[in-house]
Amino acid sequence: MKIEICASTVEALLGAVALKADRVELCSNLEQGGLTPSSGFIRMAMNLGLNTQVLIRPRPGGFVYNQDEIALIFNEVEWLSNMGVEGIVVGLITE
């Protein structure tokens, strides 16, 4: 069994290390359903040696995005790939 922790705080990252979680899914603003976290938070998780999966969600609300938002998501994917994260988490639907 693999253990993944959804982490939106430094405390959650440190807990993931202490619990030897298999990976973390990073996000911010869980009270809004989760948004893309900051670059510093992502770097901290990676520096702690955690298998880092990053949520890409540019705004709260639904998961139907316009073309500009989709372009932003693709830019985030490229940036995170270059940053060296293990994976990304994205949700998109059509109307």
Side-chain angles (χ1 to χ4, degrees):
M1 180 183 306
K2 300 280 184 178
I3 303 294
E4 177 181 281
I5 294 177
C6 183
S8 65
T9 65
V10 171
E11 292 81 13
L13 289 181
L14 297 176
V17 171
L19 294 171
K20 297 182 170 125
D22 295 296
R23 65 187 191 189
V24 292
E25 178 183 324
L26 302 184
C27 63
S28 65
N29 295 307
L30 279 174
E31 62 277 0
Q32 294 183 339
L35 299 175
T36 304
S38 72
S39 60
F41 190 63
I42 297 165
R43 181 68 61 205
M44 176 179 274
M46 294 173 65
N47 288 343
L48 288 169
L50 293 165
N51 177 321
T52 303
Q53 314 288 311
V54 179
L55 174 68
I56 300 176
R57 186 173 179 214
R59 60 160 171 77
F63 293 92
V64 177
Y65 297 108
N66 65 39
Q67 290 302 320
D68 293 326
E69 291 169 324
I70 292 170
L72 174 62
I73 290 168
F74 276 102
N75 286 336
E76 294 275 15
V77 168
E78 182 179 4
W79 180 74
L80 289 166
S81 177
N82 291 334
M83 199 173 176
V85 301
E86 297 283 334
I88 58 160
V89 179
V90 180
L92 298 124
I93 59 173
T94 60
E95 291 182 53

